[in-house]
Amino acid sequence: MVPSRLRRTARGAAVTLTDVPRLRLALAQVNPTVGDLTANADLVASWTRSAVEQGAELVAFPEMVLTGYPVEDLALRPSFVSASSEALVALAGRLRDEELGEVPVVVGFLDRCEHDLPRLGRPSGSPQNAAAVLHRGEVLARYAKHHLPNYGVFDEFRYFVPGDRLSVVRVRGVDIALAICEDLWQEGGPVSASRAAGAGLLLVVNGSPYERGKAGVRHELGALRAAEAGCTLAYVNLVGGQDELVFDGGSFVVGQDGAVLARAPQFEQTLLVVDLDLPAAVEHDDLDEVELSAHGGTVFSIGRVTLPASDAAGDRADADAGPRLPATGGLAPQLPDEAEVYAALVTGLRDYVGKNGFRSVVLGLSGGIDSALVAVVAVDALGADAVHGVSMPSVYSSEHSKDDAADLAARTGLHYRTIAIGPMVTSFLDNVELTGLAEENLQARVRGMTLMGLSNQEGHLVLATGNKTELAVGYSTIYGDAVGGYAPLKDVPKTTVWALSRWRNTVAAERGETPPVPESSITKPPSAELRPGQLDTDSLPDYALLDDILDDYVEQDRGAAELVADGFDPALVERVLRMTDLAEYKRRQYPPGPKISLKAFGRDRRLPITNRWRESAPPA
Amino acid sequence: MVPSRLRRTARGAAVTLTDVPRLRLALAQVNPTVGDLTANADLVASWTRSAVEQGAELVAFPEMVLTGYPVEDLALRPSFVSASSEALVALAGRLRDEELGEVPVVVGFLDRCEHDLPRLGRPSGSPQNAAAVLHRGEVLARYAKHHLPNYGVFDEFRYFVPGDRLSVVRVRGVDIALAICEDLWQEGGPVSASRAAGAGLLLVVNGSPYERGKAGVRHELGALRAAEAGCTLAYVNLVGGQDELVFDGGSFVVGQDGAVLARAPQFEQTLLVVDLDLPAAVEHDDLDEVELSAHGGTVFSIGRVTLPASDAAGDRADADAGPRLPATGGLAPQLPDEAEVYAALVTGLRDYVGKNGFRSVVLGLSGGIDSALVAVVAVDALGADAVHGVSMPSVYSSEHSKDDAADLAARTGLHYRTIAIGPMVTSFLDNVELTGLAEENLQARVRGMTLMGLSNQEGHLVLATGNKTELAVGYSTIYGDAVGGYAPLKDVPKTTVWALSRWRNTVAAERGETPPVPESSITKPPSAELRPGQLDTDSLPDYALLDDILDDYVEQDRGAAELVADGFDPALVERVLRMTDLAEYKRRQYPPGPKISLKAFGRDRRLPITNRWRESAPPA
């Protein structure tokens, strides 16, 4: 039953095959909802049942699965922290009562540090980002996250007291060390402690948000840390959307030698079940109370728990129950770039709509590429019957715009109606003197009001259709096209909007389906159509060039002098950077949207509104 | 010239009068603008000139005065950090060139930590929140903030590398230790190091935002820390508005015995000049490289610099120039509660408008108390000629509403016009089926669009007039009354709106002026007037009761069970908490406004939008 070979344990000693227990591990890549303790406990119970049916001997759920993640200021609410702790205890009892108590289950939750003294600068109520091992109705071990990220989308110094003790749990003869997400990314702490503790498996529970290309980075990191810890590393991640974050799953197991042993697909709830040959635990009495130095002069200790069911030889309790089905783990293929981004948009939209209790969406269809792509994403996420498109032509709308909007509706099957905005625009112009830009904005605002009216009347969530490039330079109308509860393209540059549209059409063609995006929407020059003959290029540089500059300035935080040194025209650099600097207020008022890049407007970039700093490009 | 008495130095030795130098200290309580390095350097130069004219021997400016504060993500932009450092060096040279180089000047700025290695979790580019001593054209000493606040409105773990070295600067025979803001609030670090270093003065430069009643807390804290440091403590604070923060100044000096020796007024730029008798420095060679333990296992060392002009006896270089004018310090009276809050609103509005380059504001005048108070604050901040009020009656507007709006305009002298919204509302209702709540919201949105049209056409900033109570429970129309660039009452509960209105009228009466707020706006029952006979009490509990519950739930983070235990009706608690929980998206979309409370919606409270957590009140 155990492979007949020699292997090297983490301690470096050659051991014979009887020293190598095989553990069937199930990583439950699930999609909880922030604050819904009841539904999240149901999720844990139901996926634990599946894991047990597949013979799992250890089940692991992601970071803070019981509360959802991130909980933001809920962490500072004592009634919520208490509710989380009580829900954990209740969940342990429920698993036992449902005859799921024999399998140890690792569950992320929100804990309270009992030994922390209140101090200014520490989060009120001493909450901790923690994981517990549930077994036979009891909470047997707890581990609190040591490394707290406080950059990008993370604010964990604000919310959590760091843990200072590694939990090592002996399960069926294998010592398993626990870690939580950022513990893997920063040097020192749990990873090095795992090596010192002689762990046979480092089990990391994660809430790691999607960024374009991050899956590969996680694999490299996992391999590096497995080598540092001197053992196999298992990584279980959340999946699903939570406000501006999209969790992509992609859970995996990597050997000490860096080989990826199993990988779950991205953007799907799934159970990754894998049989692991792991070194048998040896006694480490000398290490039990060792203190290891961690970063910043702090110390980190090791705590051990042995599950009552386990035995050192690693024989399974059910070893006599006959042969089991093979583990269902495998190596899910990694998605190519456009497929990955598109899946993130679909996942983010589906969960934002569903978790906020909406059943349908409404959006304006201009015939342009942005609204076309948003409509197609919405149809893929929710089904055509839940998507309501509204064409709102004005006197400046071209015939091809109206045709392209109708064509899109026909291709996707979404609900389609036309509401001409002329009468409403005229009623304003008759009563308030509005000319020039004020008149252009008026048209966009009448459209926004119309959509909000339909939202109030019919219950749809309004989708804003602007893209990241427009948002960066402020090419939008506040309370106009910026109206909405969610903005699927908020973090998608214009050039990527085109790429995703082409990719989606290609996929459809390959499947023998109608390409959903009208070709004309992809190929025609972009226009806001708010005055006669208007084109985006009247106000903005060519989008390829613009996205290039914005990538440097926004994503990389590079200055004007560096951009000019790279060969960009100084006057153009100054113009684009100035537009970007002045648009902060508009960006703040924009609806949330799914983060796909390193720096998403919204959570990741927090500039002052009142800000007189202007980059000034040196002469060429 | 020096008082003839014995005093005890920080070292505890009795010394004679010749050991007690007198130092004329100037605290420059000024109002910089974030990002405007040139204007901020001008501010430092011009206030230094005033200080020198008043005989100051040491001038101190607030935290990050050169960059403005807080700079948020600008701290992570290498070009901005470099520009700040270069501006500091240029400022030192400029002060020398303008014959202001002999007086040491303490200037807060954004520095770069030269010795910090890049590491995940540390802010990119290693920025530091620092203060420098400029003298004779040189940057003679630098100190980086040790305690970094990361709660409430602060995110400093995200932005700064903490300092680990106290700067002690000998000026005219006195050892002066530097600290920055949070260094005073948290235990350990610079305060205890100042005692160990035998400092004669602890000089703290601050960017401490206003909160109701915080001035008294600062005095108590100053007295406590002066005792801990064993020396006099000088506290210089920013003044003015920056986005949602209002800095109230109130700089002060407190003796080692806790006596407040001088205090500047709140909400005004001013120079607080005070003569201090301070212990002469003694030699501390043994302490120079001592390492003190700070919190979290880190260490903190002491660095010393002696200014070339100083001499140990403390004689002034200009001692022979004849008698000087007395120092202009004094004890500004502390403002009573309403006066303080009102001044914060005026300051916040004035600076938000001015620093963002607007010259005028526009707002809707409904005849109700909220818009009346906002109009009066705006007139006090900007002058009546810069305030444009618009009455936008509908068929549901009462006669008294129209009368009260016109009365307000007459009392304040603001620009007033009437635009009836009937035609625009009708044009929507004729073209889109909108009934019930959708029709109510339509009216609010037509008003919002009208104001935005006037803003675009005439260049005014739109003020939103909603209060904190409405914002808490979501009693507002998104893209309707929530339209605006700034919301002066965003952090003002409804009951305080009434109290401030009455207070402002009383002040006017005391001055023999016309009370600006119409009495009827104060006394009539509040109504949104979006349907016939509508009153706020149709949808909301009595405001006094509502504000009471919201104070517990929002400011204190107390749970439903605690509120019920306090005697609130369980059904009412559940209803109010549910309304509050569901309004997060509306709150996120609301314009910025001045923070006056412990928990302002906006910067201080960050709840998930997607959040299924519901407090549930136990049965009574």
Side-chain angles (χ1 to χ4, degrees):
Chain A
M1 208 151 194
V2 173
S4 175
R5 56 180 173 80
L6 286 178
R7 54 168 290 168
R8 215 156 265 282
T9 70
R11 316 289 301 164
V15 292
T16 59
L17 58 90
T18 54
D19 288 307
V20 184
R22 169 166 283 189
L23 185 78
R24 181 164 285 192
L25 170 68
L27 302 178
Q29 175 173 302
V30 299
N31 184 358
T33 300
V34 162
D36 200 339
L37 301 173
T38 306
N40 297 340
D42 288 348
L43 197 65
V44 171
S46 103
W47 286 84
T48 298
R49 179 168 305 282
S50 293
V52 166
E53 286 166 2
Q54 293 185 48
E57 293 150 328
L58 174 64
V59 189
F61 287 84
E63 182 172 11
M64 290 186 73
V65 69
L66 192 55
T67 54
Y69 178 82
V71 296
E72 303 187 64
D73 276 14
L74 289 176
L76 306 178
R77 179 164 283 284
S79 54
F80 185 67
V81 182
S82 298
S84 167
S85 298
E86 289 158 17
L88 183 81
V89 171
L91 176 60
R94 170 181 175 176
L95 292 175
R96 179 198 54 209
D97 296 347
E98 295 186 7
E99 299 186 348
L100 300 168
E102 287 303 312
V103 63
V105 181
V106 179
V107 176
F109 75 113
L110 176 63
D111 202 359
R112 179 178 287 127
C113 175
E114 297 298 343
H115 309 295
D116 192 63
L117 294 174
R119 176 164 72 73
L120 188 68
R122 283 274 174 140
S124 161
S126 301
Q128 291 192 304
N129 181 333
V133 181
L134 309 185
H135 188 241
R136 294 188 179 174
E138 303 291 328
V139 179
L140 277 191
R142 292 166 190 246
Y143 168 75
K145 192 174 187 177
H146 175 67
H147 287 300
L148 299 176
N150 204 70
Y151 52 85
V153 300
F154 305 108
D155 288 296
E156 296 203 355
F157 276 116
R158 177 181 283 270
Y159 295 124
F160 303 121
V161 174
D164 57 5
R165 189 170 175 81
L166 183 71
S167 264
V168 179
V169 182
R170 189 165 299 175
V171 177
R172 296 182 181 272
V174 178
D175 273 350
I176 298 169
L178 299 180
I180 302 178
C181 207
E182 187 75 3
D183 287 334
L184 204 64
W185 293 81
Q186 296 193 22
E187 301 286 335
V191 173
S192 40
S194 294
R195 172 178 284 271
L201 175 68
L202 176 56
L203 176 57
V204 192
V205 305
N206 300 272
S208 177
Y210 173 66
E211 276 164 32
R212 213 165 165 173
K214 193 175 179 183
V217 177
R218 287 194 202 113
H219 288 150
E220 284 172 28
L221 179 73
L224 174 72
R225 298 309 190 202
E228 286 177 12
C231 65
T232 300
L233 185 153
Y235 182 103
V236 58
N237 196 15
L238 288 171
V239 71
Q242 168 57 32
D243 287 357
E244 298 212 294
L245 302 185
V246 181
F247 298 96
D248 58 326
S251 303
F252 63 92
V253 180
V254 62
Q256 181 180 352
D257 60 357
V260 177
L261 305 175
R263 182 169 58 223
Q266 286 174 281
F267 304 107
E268 289 175 24
Q269 288 203 106
T270 192
L271 203 61
L272 183 69
V273 182
V274 57
D275 286 336
L276 298 173
D277 298 323
L278 299 169
V282 292
E283 295 310 313
H284 304 285
D285 288 346
D286 53 325
L287 276 170
D288 273 16
E289 289 306 324
V290 118
E291 293 204 328
L292 307 162
S293 75
H295 76 286
T298 58
V299 294
F300 197 75
S301 65
I302 297 170
R304 294 178 184 278
V305 172
T306 298
L307 293 200
S310 74
D311 68 279
D315 296 330
R316 277 194 303 275
D318 59 351
D320 299 329
R324 298 188 300 170
L325 294 170
T328 52
L331 282 174
Q334 285 200 261
L335 295 174
D337 178 56
E338 279 99 352
E340 192 189 74
V341 172
Y342 193 85
L345 302 185
V346 169
T347 302
L349 174 59
R350 179 189 291 139
D351 278 350
Y352 192 86
V353 171
K355 290 180 179 180
N356 282 302
F358 286 92
R359 294 167 177 274
S360 55
V361 296
V362 65
L363 74 161
L365 298 181
S366 69
I369 188 64
D370 297 322
S371 58
L373 181 61
V374 171
V376 172
V377 168
V379 168
D380 284 343
L382 308 169
D385 201 40
V387 181
H388 298 256
V390 188
S391 170
M392 294 175 284
S394 76
V395 292
Y396 305 128
S397 297
S398 60
E399 277 311 311
H400 66 75
S401 290
K402 294 180 246 183
D403 294 347
D404 290 341
D407 185 17
L408 171 75
R411 286 165 181 265
T412 56
L414 54 74
H415 298 280
Y416 183 67
R417 74 187 103 177
T418 300
I419 300 175
I421 62 169
M424 292 85 102
V425 170
T426 301
S427 71
F428 274 96
L429 294 179
D430 288 347
N431 288 278
V432 194
E433 192 195 340
L434 301 173
T435 57
L437 183 67
E439 186 188 348
E440 291 183 34
N441 284 337
L442 171 66
Q443 298 165 61
R445 290 188 181 124
V446 166
R447 291 187 176 116
M449 283 185 65
T450 301
L451 294 174
M452 284 306 295
L454 295 174
S455 168
N456 287 155
Q457 188 75 17
E458 301 173 8
H460 321 298
L461 179 78
V462 177
L463 299 182
T465 61
N467 61 65
K468 185 176 193 174
T469 308
E470 291 176 355
L471 203 60
V473 296
Y475 195 65
S476 72
T477 299
I478 197 166
Y479 314 124
D481 54 312
V483 155
Y486 192 71
L489 305 183
K490 185 177 185 182
D491 199 28
V492 182
K494 185 77 174 188
T495 47
T496 306
V497 171
W498 278 307
L500 291 175
S501 301
R502 287 197 195 91
W503 171 85
R504 182 64 185 80
N505 275 1
T506 303
V507 168
E510 284 168 3
R511 290 186 194 148
E513 297 167 0
T514 307
V517 185
E519 188 60 23
S520 157
S521 296
I522 300 177
T523 54
K524 68 185 172 187
S527 167
E529 295 194 337
L530 295 173
R531 60 173 187 262
Q534 185 181 32
L535 290 178
D536 288 10
T537 45
D538 300 344
S539 310
L540 302 177
D542 173 77
Y543 276 113
L545 183 58
L546 179 56
D547 278 352
D548 219 5
I549 293 175
L550 291 172
D551 182 71
D552 273 352
Y553 187 56
V554 175
E555 308 293 310
Q556 320 292 335
D557 266 328
R558 303 182 75 212
E562 289 170 280
L563 269 72
V564 171
D566 279 359
F568 289 110
D569 174 61
L572 179 65
V573 166
E574 201 145 350
R575 181 173 150 229
V576 171
L577 270 47
R578 191 175 180 83
M579 284 194 288
T580 305
D581 290 342
L582 289 171
E584 184 64 19
Y585 185 74
K586 278 191 186 176
R587 286 192 292 264
R588 293 268 195 108
Q589 292 287 321
Y590 215 75
K595 170 184 166 65
I596 65 161
S597 75
L598 184 66
K599 292 224 176 154
F601 295 124
R603 288 194 69 100
D604 299 16
R605 199 161 179 271
R606 309 179 188 193
L607 282 168
I609 296 169
T610 304
N611 171 19
R612 294 282 183 101
W613 171 245
R614 302 284 173 263
E615 293 271 349
S616 140
Chain B
M1 212 152 192
V2 172
S4 175
R5 59 180 172 80
L6 286 179
R7 57 166 288 169
R8 215 156 265 281
T9 70
R11 315 289 302 163
V15 292
T16 58
L17 57 89
T18 55
D19 287 310
V20 184
R22 169 167 282 189
L23 186 78
R24 182 165 284 194
L25 170 69
L27 302 180
Q29 175 173 301
V30 298
N31 184 357
T33 299
V34 162
D36 199 340
L37 301 173
T38 305
N40 297 340
D42 289 347
L43 197 66
V44 171
S46 105
W47 286 84
T48 298
R49 179 168 304 284
S50 294
V52 166
E53 285 165 4
Q54 293 184 48
E57 293 153 328
L58 175 63
V59 189
F61 287 85
E63 182 172 11
M64 290 186 72
V65 68
L66 192 55
T67 53
Y69 178 82
V71 297
E72 304 186 66
D73 276 15
L74 289 175
L76 306 178
R77 179 164 283 284
S79 55
F80 185 68
V81 182
S82 297
S84 166
S85 299
E86 288 158 18
L88 183 81
V89 171
L91 176 60
R94 170 181 176 177
L95 292 175
R96 179 196 54 209
D97 296 346
E98 296 186 7
E99 298 185 350
L100 301 168
E102 288 302 313
V103 63
V105 180
V106 180
V107 176
F109 74 113
L110 177 64
D111 202 359
R112 179 177 287 125
C113 175
E114 297 298 345
H115 309 297
D116 192 63
L117 295 173
R119 176 163 72 72
L120 188 68
R122 284 273 175 141
S124 161
S126 301
Q128 290 191 304
N129 180 333
V133 181
L134 310 185
H135 188 242
R136 295 189 179 173
E138 303 291 329
V139 178
L140 277 191
R142 293 167 190 245
Y143 168 75
K145 191 174 188 175
H146 176 67
H147 287 300
L148 300 176
N150 204 70
Y151 53 85
V153 299
F154 305 109
D155 287 296
E156 296 203 355
F157 277 114
R158 177 182 282 270
Y159 295 124
F160 303 121
V161 175
D164 57 4
R165 189 170 174 83
L166 183 72
S167 264
V168 179
V169 183
R170 189 164 300 174
V171 177
R172 296 182 181 271
V174 179
D175 273 351
I176 297 170
L178 299 180
I180 302 179
C181 206
E182 187 76 2
D183 287 334
L184 204 63
W185 293 80
Q186 296 193 23
E187 301 285 337
V191 173
S192 40
S194 294
R195 172 178 282 271
L201 175 68
L202 176 55
L203 176 58
V204 192
V205 305
N206 301 273
S208 177
Y210 173 66
E211 275 165 33
R212 214 164 164 174
K214 193 175 179 184
V217 177
R218 287 194 202 113
H219 289 149
E220 284 173 30
L221 178 73
L224 173 73
R225 298 309 190 203
E228 286 178 10
C231 65
T232 300
L233 185 154
Y235 183 104
V236 58
N237 195 16
L238 289 171
V239 71
Q242 167 58 31
D243 287 358
E244 299 213 294
L245 302 185
V246 181
F247 298 96
D248 59 326
S251 303
F252 63 92
V253 180
V254 61
Q256 181 179 350
D257 60 357
V260 177
L261 305 176
R263 183 170 58 223
Q266 285 174 282
F267 305 108
E268 289 175 24
Q269 287 203 109
T270 192
L271 202 61
L272 184 69
V273 182
V274 57
D275 287 335
L276 298 173
D277 299 323
L278 300 168
V282 294
E283 294 310 314
H284 304 284
D285 287 347
D286 54 326
L287 277 169
D288 273 18
E289 289 305 326
V290 116
E291 293 204 326
L292 307 162
S293 75
H295 77 286
T298 58
V299 294
F300 197 74
S301 65
I302 297 171
R304 293 177 185 278
V305 172
T306 298
L307 293 200
S310 74
D311 67 278
D315 297 328
R316 276 195 303 276
D318 60 348
D320 298 329
R324 297 188 300 172
L325 293 170
T328 52
L331 282 174
Q334 285 200 261
L335 294 175
D337 179 57
E338 279 99 352
E340 191 189 77
V341 173
Y342 193 85
L345 302 185
V346 169
T347 302
L349 174 59
R350 179 188 291 139
D351 279 349
Y352 192 86
V353 171
K355 290 179 178 180
N356 282 303
F358 286 91
R359 294 165 177 274
S360 55
V361 295
V362 64
L363 74 161
L365 298 181
S366 69
I369 188 63
D370 297 323
S371 59
L373 182 61
V374 171
V376 172
V377 167
V379 168
D380 284 343
L382 308 169
D385 202 40
V387 182
H388 297 257
V390 188
S391 169
M392 294 175 283
S394 76
V395 291
Y396 304 127
S397 297
S398 59
E399 277 311 311
H400 66 75
S401 291
K402 294 180 245 180
D403 293 348
D404 290 342
D407 184 17
L408 171 76
R411 286 166 179 265
T412 56
L414 55 75
H415 297 280
Y416 182 68
R417 75 187 102 175
T418 300
I419 300 175
I421 63 169
M424 293 82 103
V425 170
T426 301
S427 71
F428 272 95
L429 295 178
D430 288 347
N431 288 277
V432 194
E433 191 195 342
L434 301 173
T435 57
L437 183 66
E439 187 187 349
E440 291 184 33
N441 284 338
L442 172 65
Q443 299 165 59
R445 289 187 183 128
V446 166
R447 292 187 175 116
M449 283 185 65
T450 301
L451 294 175
M452 286 305 297
L454 296 175
S455 168
N456 288 154
Q457 189 74 19
E458 302 172 8
H460 321 300
L461 179 78
V462 177
L463 299 182
T465 60
N467 61 64
K468 186 177 193 175
T469 308
E470 290 176 355
L471 203 60
V473 297
Y475 195 66
S476 72
T477 299
I478 197 165
Y479 314 125
D481 54 312
V483 156
Y486 192 70
L489 305 184
K490 186 178 185 183
D491 199 28
V492 182
K494 185 78 174 189
T495 47
T496 306
V497 171
W498 278 307
L500 291 175
S501 301
R502 289 197 194 92
W503 172 85
R504 182 63 186 80
N505 275 1
T506 303
V507 168
E510 285 168 3
R511 290 185 194 150
E513 297 167 0
T514 307
V517 185
E519 188 61 21
S520 156
S521 295
I522 298 178
T523 53
K524 69 185 174 188
S527 166
E529 296 193 336
L530 295 173
R531 60 172 187 262
Q534 184 181 30
L535 290 178
D536 288 11
T537 46
D538 300 345
S539 309
L540 302 176
D542 173 76
Y543 275 113
L545 183 58
L546 179 56
D547 279 351
D548 219 6
I549 293 176
L550 291 172
D551 182 71
D552 274 353
Y553 188 56
V554 175
E555 309 292 310
Q556 320 292 335
D557 266 330
R558 303 181 75 213
E562 290 170 279
L563 269 73
V564 170
D566 279 359
F568 289 110
D569 174 61
L572 179 65
V573 166
E574 200 143 351
R575 180 172 150 229
V576 171
L577 270 47
R578 191 175 180 84
M579 282 194 290
T580 304
D581 290 343
L582 289 171
E584 183 64 19
Y585 185 74
K586 279 191 185 175
R587 286 192 292 265
R588 293 268 196 107
Q589 292 287 321
Y590 214 76
K595 170 185 164 66
I596 64 160
S597 74
L598 184 66
K599 292 225 174 151
F601 294 125
R603 288 194 68 100
D604 298 17
R605 199 161 178 271
R606 310 178 187 193
L607 283 168
I609 295 170
T610 305
N611 171 19
R612 294 284 182 102
W613 170 244
R614 302 285 173 262
E615 293 272 349
S616 140

